Amino acid sequence: EMLRSLVGSEMCIRDSFAIGVNFCTQLGEMGFAEYIISITASFLSPKMFPFIVFVVFSITEFLCSFNWTLYMMALPIIVPMCGIIGANPYIAVAALICAGVWGSMGCMYSDGALVAAAATDCDAYEASSAALPYMLICEVLSAILFLVAGFIF
């Protein structure tokens, strides 16, 4: 029974990844990264950039569960933006990765929630709501640390 549940979860993960790749290809052809850079580079602070990346992308990941698609969409924006505004690219990419992990584990219909629910024999809502208080503590602490790191490095 558990194996059957995990196979269904794997198929869902595979299909969502294929949709994500197609979505990112479409965004690339439309010039999405260049557009976002052109409208935001003039007012973003390099010291606040890691904090902004972490907060914005953790919220979008939590709400939408882009999972690995987040990195395919955001890295072409984040890395050039660091060069333009003078932010530390290592900290900005670390903020993006942390946001993706946090949002993926917090989203009630992400691959992490589905696998955790299948492994513990409960539904995804139950597994996610049990972890949410601990995840919020991690979100706040990480946001503070990325804010501090932006000013130090």
Side-chain angles (χ1 to χ4, degrees):
E1 180 67 32
M2 188 167 123
L3 181 62
R4 185 176 309 140
S5 176
L6 287 175
V7 168
S9 297
E10 185 274 328
M11 288 174 49
C12 180
I13 293 166
R14 183 198 63 220
D15 293 345
S16 64
F17 183 75
I19 292 168
V21 169
N22 186 21
F23 181 65
C24 288
T25 303
Q26 297 292 326
L27 287 176
E29 290 174 1
M30 291 188 321
F32 179 72
E34 294 82 10
Y35 173 72
I36 296 296
I37 290 170
S38 70
I39 63 171
T40 58
S42 62
F43 64 85
L44 282 175
S45 164
K47 296 185 182 308
M48 295 288 290
F49 192 61
F51 171 77
I52 293 169
V53 166
F54 179 74
V55 171
V56 167
F57 284 109
S58 63
I59 290 170
T60 58
E61 181 69 15
F62 179 78
L63 294 175
C64 301
S65 184
F66 287 135
N67 293 331
W68 305 110
T69 309
L70 168 76
Y71 306 119
M72 291 185 279
M73 287 185 336
L75 281 173
I77 298 170
I78 300 293
V79 174
M81 183 75 77
C82 287
I84 292 170
I85 66 172
N88 186 325
Y90 300 112
I91 296 174
V93 171
L96 179 67
I97 292 170
C98 290
V101 170
W102 186 86
S104 175
M105 293 309 296
C107 184
M108 295 179 193
Y109 49 86
S110 72
D111 59 347
L114 294 174
V115 170
T120 57
D121 198 28
C122 65
D123 63 3
Y125 176 78
E126 222 177 333
S128 295
S129 61
L132 193 59
Y134 305 106
M135 296 190 62
L136 289 174
I137 292 169
C138 293
E139 171 76 7
V140 170
L141 291 175
S142 297
I144 291 168
L145 291 173
F146 280 117
L147 183 62
V148 170
F151 282 94
I152 292 175
F153 302 105

